[in-house]
Amino acid sequence: MSKASQTPVMRQYLAAKAAHADALLLFRMGDFYELFFEDAVVAAKALDLTLTARNKGSDDEIPMAGVPHHAVSGYVQRLIEQGFNVAICEQMADPSKVKGLVPREVVRIATPGIAYDDAGIEARQNHYLAAVEREPSGPYGIAALDLSTGELVACEAADAASALSELVRLDPREVLFAPGAEALARPLQQVRPRVVARTTADAMTIDEADAVLDAQLGAGRALASCASTPARRAASRCVATARACEAGRPLPVARLSFYELGDTLVIDEATQSHLELVRAVDGGERGSLLHEIDATRTAPGARLMRRRLLAPRTGVAEVRRLHDGVELFVAHSRIRSELRQRLDEIGDVERLAVKLALDRALPRDLVALRRSLATLPAVVDALASCPEPDAREALGVEGGASWIDTCPDLYELLGRAVADDPPPRASDGGAVRDGFDAQLDEARELMRGGQRLIVDLEARLREASAIPSLKLRYTRVFGWYIEVTRAHLGKAPKEWRRKQTIATGERFSCDELDALADKLAHAEERAAAREAELFAGLVRDLAVHAERLRAVAARLAAWDVAAALAEVAHREDWTRPEIDDSYELVLEDARHPVVERLASGGRFVPNDVSLGATEGRPRLWLVTGPNMAGKSTLMRQTAIAVILAQMGSFVPARRARVGVVDRVLTRVGASDNLSRGESTFMVEMKETANVLRLARRRSLVVLDEIGRGTSTYDGLAIAWAVAEHLHDTIACRAMFATHYHELTELASTRAPTCENWSVSAREHDGDVVFLHKLQRGAASRSYGVACARLAGVPEPVLARARALLGELERGEALPSGAYASLRSRAVRPQLDLFDASGPTPQPDPHPALETLRAVDVDRVTPLEALQLLASLKKMALGS
Ligand code: ADP
Ligand code: MG
């Protein structure tokens, strides 16, 4: 580097940059944050800024780009979203008060996982930084830290597949993969393209990890809260990263919550997207199950709802207790609506508590907190009015504990200290209430009095000098001065000192004015300094209680969720499911919550499902029926009912019994799975392989049209073998929708544990009418041709199709000469599936004759009749 760039400030810059080489460094210079060198080039491109240069024109140009300081939040946000880390280097003193070089320090680092401010986080979702560590060829440790809520969680996953599905569930913004775990990055990014994956160079030793955690949580707390070594290492990685980002500020992380994957119902990514749990097919929230059930009124409630939906519980007692809470609010609708009304007035106390702890709270945050706390007594009143003796237990209040800590001390403090309608920033002045602090009051009095003193002095000077137009004025540059217009200049007393000449007159000062100006200047400064000090102290005092506030937030969130689920249950007429340890899954009059809502005029047809993974009970249902009959809907609503039940919700059915499920596995055949943009048979088979590998007896497996992505015989053979394996070996509760009618034979050899069901349709005047009603037995026929008619395929083509269908069903030759019947019979003995007696061969009718027979003359238009005639003739000549 040449000497011109080695000015003191550039040396300062280079030192800061060297310490944060992996981040873009925003270097505060006056009203701008500047970027230099390569950073400037990168940021100019990423943010569409003008790239300029320092020392322009010299042989020592340094590329430079800048963003105005007041708009920095938006720029940082955009950089983070593009996967960059951003280091913020601030001026640590007021440049106007420092001689020489202004001290500067990196005070924050923002990353995709550690947001810069509220603009970068979604209110109704957690914002996780995750880390994955791995024991050498051993289990994976996964941890996730939401620095906006202070939540730190960790778990251990036995293998890559479960580690991946847990990462997908957590849906972090950024994941740090330690050596040995990097292989998960690619597959994660395939299903969560938004996630930023980073690999860390070194693995942390467990001693280092525990030291970091103990420093954060308290001595010995690391081991006490989590026995898993890789999980502790991952948690420690999150904490260490957040520490570095916060430049040593104490983190608002008070505990490490370890959870067992086995305590939650595992929902993998394919299932999540197939069931449209949090996102609909089009990627939006509308049409998703979450959108349907999320009637929460607060942001922490919404976050909890989402977490519950993606990680339903497997403990019978725990789930029942959640149902108790919902039931209470269903039964007491007045209390429910009272509570929900109150919740509307409550802010995001969880994130407010964290802002206090990170010293990031603004005056209006304190107002929001005050308003929230003000509402708590009314919340308690509403709940306490509940006549049920077990109400407290149902709502998660242990023993004789009070409903909630209403924090009267904090409320009182906030009431005394914070103005009613404070400005956005404490430095704007006026955030602290009058009467809170004597010193501040005095300084403010002087400021206010100052105005009066100025007016008084102005009057006196005017009188003494006999200049009627005399005015006392103020500018930032010149301070206070006396303004005299040209006409009256002669009257200016000699002792006045000339300050400046302007076009219209002169500006003067005098001793009296200087003295007053000095007093005023200091009053304002003193008031500002005192207010800043008081506000910071207030935030510190409140921050001490951050944990109390978070406990309040957690309780409110749980009530918010229970009341929201009750609201939905009441509105949609859902029922409380029975939960037990059995292997039963019985639903009566079950509906699909989203499809039902979209089906206009309550035309949704409810259906029953009865599965049981025990001897003598049907555990495998083969579901057949024409396209559009409702097979997929039926199977999805069954899986959804299980998920809803175990997340603690009521379910859309008249009656429901759910023996706890440990895993819901759903797969859709490649050709049906358009939404995911996957059409390759390979993907379908990989997913199927996963299902077969992961499913246990307690799982619920839902396979929709598996085997469709390949040729008929291939597909049938695979579908058959998969169904057999599910039934014979895994023996779990399963539903299998298929268009392979041959497969329905399976039920006859495996009764009563395998059953055929079909979703009915009726053909009426050549049209299909979908009844959507489930009935016992296999579907009698495919309604493909009728469907094609419905879709507007012209009659000559339909006629020909009917003719071909007839031939195929009789096992006759295809017009091409290939013998479908022979091929199909060649496969059959191999599969050992079908009864040997095929249909008896018939003499070949002429195709033209067949087509003629199949024509529905009433439906042929004159033009089609002509076309038909032409093709009949061609057939006649062709043979
Ligand atoms: P399949 O899988 O048999 O082709 P789908 O389950 O995709 O059929 O259902 C097709 C459409 O039929 C759905 O989008 C929905 O509009 C309607 N539908 C499905 N089940 C029902 C039902 N039980 N009652 C009313 N309409 C239904
Ligand atoms: Mg379907």
Side-chain angles (χ1 to χ4, degrees):
M1 181 141 320
S2 58
K3 59 183 176 350
S5 56
Q6 288 287 28
T7 58
V9 71
M10 278 325 280
R11 276 200 296 275
Q12 194 182 36
Y13 170 84
L14 291 169
K17 177 65 196 173
H20 298 93
D22 58 350
L24 296 174
L25 185 71
L26 294 187
F27 191 72
R28 180 75 181 261
M29 298 182 90
D31 285 341
F32 280 80
Y33 288 95
E34 305 286 2
L35 298 109
F36 297 109
F37 300 106
E38 187 57 25
D39 281 7
V41 179
V42 171
K45 186 147 182 287
L47 298 175
D48 208 8
L49 299 173
T50 326
L51 187 65
T52 60
R54 200 171 161 91
N55 311 326
K56 207 176 178 90
S58 74
D59 53 358
D60 195 42
E61 272 193 21
I62 299 170
M64 173 170 110
V67 299
H69 79 98
H70 56 81
V72 70
S73 158
Y75 287 108
V76 172
Q77 187 49 35
R78 280 164 62 195
L79 289 172
I80 296 176
E81 272 165 16
Q82 294 176 54
F84 295 107
N85 288 357
V86 180
I88 314 285
C89 186
E90 281 294 351
Q91 294 173 160
M92 302 310 284
D94 184 345
S96 67
K97 297 205 176 117
V98 186
K99 286 206 188 73
L101 188 63
V102 184
R104 290 185 173 84
E105 268 173 39
V106 171
V107 295
R108 290 274 303 280
I109 300 170
T111 81
I114 307 256
Y116 180 68
D117 59 13
D118 287 355
I121 51 180
E122 280 169 62
R124 298 172 81 83
Q125 262 181 56
N126 278 105
H127 190 105
Y128 287 123
L129 165 75
V132 186
E133 301 267 333
R134 191 182 178 195
E135 302 287 285
S137 58
Y140 293 80
I142 300 173
L145 168 67
D146 182 345
L147 197 59
S148 68
T149 63
E151 182 189 7
L152 175 65
V153 298
C155 65
E156 187 176 298
D159 52 35
S162 46
L164 190 61
S165 92
E166 187 56 16
L167 282 174
V168 166
R169 195 184 63 71
L170 288 164
D171 198 10
R173 298 309 167 93
E174 181 179 359
V175 188
L176 310 170
F177 291 99
E182 314 91 335
L184 295 177
R186 275 277 302 281
L188 177 63
Q189 282 176 316
Q190 266 164 11
V191 291
R192 289 282 180 271
R194 184 182 63 162
V195 73
V196 173
R198 301 193 197 284
T199 47
T200 57
D202 51 323
M204 233 184 215
T205 70
I206 188 61
D207 291 340
E208 285 165 346
D210 285 347
V212 169
L213 286 177
D214 282 353
Q216 176 63 40
L217 309 171
R221 297 288 306 138
L223 191 59
S225 35
C226 171
S228 156
T229 313
R232 287 210 306 285
R233 278 169 44 206
S236 158
R237 175 81 67 184
C238 290
V239 169
T241 306
R243 278 246 183 94
C245 287
E246 292 296 332
R249 265 181 296 276
L251 300 182
V253 176
R255 76 183 64 83
L256 165 60
S257 313
F258 181 77
Y259 61 102
E260 296 281 354
L261 288 184
D263 291 344
T264 58
L265 188 166
V266 180
I267 303 168
D268 59 13
E269 195 276 332
T271 303
Q272 213 189 90
S273 74
H274 178 39
L275 297 179
E276 301 176 277
L277 295 186
V278 295
R279 259 178 289 254
V281 172
D282 60 11
E285 282 174 14
R286 281 187 155 278
S288 70
L289 180 61
L290 180 62
H291 187 80
E292 205 59 41
I293 61 172
D294 187 5
T296 54
R297 294 290 177 95
T298 66
R303 294 196 291 269
L304 180 62
M305 180 73 90
R306 186 188 185 91
R307 286 200 301 271
R308 287 251 190 92
L309 173 61
L310 292 178
R313 311 298 295 172
T314 52
V316 170
E318 187 184 355
V319 173
R320 280 188 187 151
R321 173 124 139 190
L322 293 174
H323 291 153
D324 287 344
V326 178
E327 183 164 20
L328 188 93
F329 283 128
V330 168
H332 298 278
S333 56
R334 190 192 52 76
I335 296 175
R336 179 176 82 235
S337 71
E338 175 87 18
L339 171 72
R340 286 164 58 74
Q341 226 165 0
R342 296 300 173 196
L343 288 173
D344 277 342
E345 292 154 35
I346 294 181
D348 193 339
V349 176
E350 191 179 26
R351 282 183 170 157
L352 287 172
V354 166
K355 284 189 187 172
L356 289 170
L358 284 177
D359 193 16
R360 224 164 269 164
L362 300 174
R364 286 173 187 176
D365 291 327
L366 299 194
V367 173
L369 182 60
R370 181 172 62 200
R371 201 183 52 236
S372 304
L373 295 182
T375 310
L376 292 181
V379 167
V380 172
D381 283 350
L383 296 177
S385 71
C386 182
E388 305 281 341
D390 298 335
R392 277 166 198 268
E393 284 68 29
L395 294 176
V397 181
E398 299 294 338
S402 64
W403 283 99
I404 202 166
D405 175 2
T406 53
C407 303
D409 48 337
L410 306 187
Y411 177 62
E412 188 273 336
L413 175 62
L414 285 164
R416 239 175 346 110
V418 183
D420 284 337
D421 188 15
R425 316 211 141 254
S427 56
D428 298 339
V432 174
R433 191 189 283 283
D434 283 335
F436 179 63
D437 177 70
Q439 270 185 52
L440 178 62
D441 287 351
E442 196 185 301
R444 278 181 178 166
E445 186 49 43
L446 193 59
M447 279 167 63
R448 273 194 290 268
Q451 288 304 321
R452 222 177 31 247
L453 295 179
I454 288 282
V455 172
D456 289 351
L457 178 63
E458 188 178 64
R460 250 184 297 126
L461 289 175
R462 206 178 273 167
E463 207 176 293
S465 64
I467 305 174
S469 62
L470 177 149
K471 287 199 176 68
L472 293 186
R473 290 186 182 278
Y474 176 84
T475 67
R476 263 178 68 93
V477 180
F478 290 105
W480 284 103
Y481 54 82
I482 306 164
E483 188 166 284
V484 180
T485 51
R486 199 163 290 285
H488 299 285
L489 278 181
K491 293 186 219 162
K494 300 215 168 29
E495 60 274 21
W496 287 9
R497 291 179 295 281
R498 165 125 25 98
K499 268 185 127 171
Q500 196 193 13
T501 304
I502 54 168
T504 54
E506 299 269 346
R507 292 174 174 180
F508 297 92
S509 72
C510 67
D511 290 347
E512 216 178 340
L513 178 60
D514 286 354
L516 180 57
D518 193 58
K519 206 163 143 192
L520 288 180
H522 285 105
E524 205 170 324
E525 218 168 86
R526 256 183 54 218
R530 183 64 186 161
E531 182 156 0
E533 193 182 325
L534 288 171
F535 191 81
L538 182 61
V539 169
R540 259 197 317 276
D541 291 348
L542 290 166
V544 172
H545 302 281
E547 275 310 294
R548 270 173 80 193
L549 292 172
R550 286 171 56 193
V552 166
R555 188 151 284 183
L556 289 173
W559 294 341
D560 191 9
V561 168
L565 291 174
E567 183 74 19
V568 175
H570 171 82
R571 191 182 66 212
E572 306 293 329
D573 196 19
W574 291 6
T575 191
R576 176 177 179 152
E578 292 165 51
I579 287 276
D580 54 35
D581 266 327
S582 73
Y583 288 87
E584 289 294 302
L585 174 53
V586 181
L587 304 171
E588 288 174 16
D589 283 345
R591 290 110 61 195
H592 189 298
V594 179
V595 177
E596 173 179 38
R597 191 193 256 293
L598 299 180
S600 51
R603 284 189 296 105
F604 193 89
V605 180
N607 276 306
D608 298 349
V609 168
S610 176
L611 294 165
T614 43
E615 248 350 276
R617 292 277 293 136
R619 56 178 177 259
L620 174 62
W621 270 27
L622 294 170
V623 183
T624 46
N627 262 329
M628 294 297 288
K631 302 181 294 297
S632 299
T633 305
L634 169 78
M635 298 202 303
R636 284 177 219 201
Q637 78 193 26
T638 306
I640 284 173
V642 168
I643 289 172
L644 283 174
Q646 289 186 218
M647 76 172 278
S649 170
F650 281 22
V651 297
R654 193 163 48 75
R655 194 176 88 79
R657 177 177 176 200
V658 178
V660 167
V661 168
D662 67 352
R663 207 180 254 278
V664 172
L665 291 153
T666 72
R667 291 300 181 274
V668 204
S671 61
D672 244 40
N673 197 4
L674 301 173
S675 61
R676 307 187 60 205
E678 293 165 351
S679 59
T680 67
F681 181 61
M682 190 61 191
V683 175
E684 178 185 330
M685 282 301 104
K686 268 190 183 158
E687 293 200 336
T688 306
N690 251 329
V691 169
L692 298 180
R693 222 164 35 71
L694 294 172
R696 302 279 174 277
R697 184 167 165 225
R698 255 211 188 282
S699 309
L700 173 67
V701 173
V702 167
L703 296 179
D704 198 350
E705 308 275 12
I706 290 295
R708 229 178 158 170
T710 182
S711 74
T712 310
Y713 298 106
D714 239 12
L716 170 58
I718 290 168
W720 190 283
V722 167
E724 238 176 35
H725 185 77
L726 271 178
H727 178 275
D728 298 353
T729 310
I730 299 173
C732 63
R733 288 161 284 181
M735 297 174 96
F736 197 138
T738 182
H739 69 295
Y740 292 122
H741 285 250
E742 294 88 335
L743 205 55
T744 56
E745 297 283 322
L746 193 65
S748 57
T749 59
R750 284 175 173 77
T753 46
C754 176
E755 285 180 355
N756 279 324
W757 288 83
S758 55
V759 195
S760 53
R762 219 177 35 215
E763 207 171 322
H764 181 74
D765 270 353
D767 285 345
V768 219
V769 180
F770 295 114
L771 304 174
H772 303 301
K773 193 70 196 166
L774 199 60
Q775 61 195 18
R776 195 64 186 270
S780 52
R781 55 177 296 188
S782 165
Y783 295 76
V785 176
C787 233
R789 240 214 88 233
L790 213 59
V793 174
E795 181 58 29
V797 178
L798 294 176
R800 178 72 181 129
R802 280 189 212 106
L804 285 171
L805 181 65
E807 289 174 26
L808 287 168
E809 280 178 351
R810 284 191 302 273
E812 289 159 2
L814 282 170
S816 72
Y819 282 82
S821 55
L822 290 185
R823 284 179 59 198
S824 88
R825 235 157 278 152
V827 146
R828 287 178 181 192
Q830 279 177 22
L831 291 174
D832 190 26
L833 323 170
F834 303 92
D835 57 12
S837 57
T840 37
Q842 306 252 321
D844 266 8
H846 194 281
L849 215 50
E850 274 291 278
T851 304
L852 205 52
R853 266 194 211 119
V855 166
D856 187 347
V857 177
D858 291 344
R859 292 176 175 272
V860 183
T861 66
L863 185 62
E864 285 174 346
L866 282 177
Q867 289 166 345
L868 187 64
L869 197 57
S871 63
L872 285 173
K873 175 156 187 191
K874 216 179 270 169
M875 283 179 209
L877 293 175
S879 57

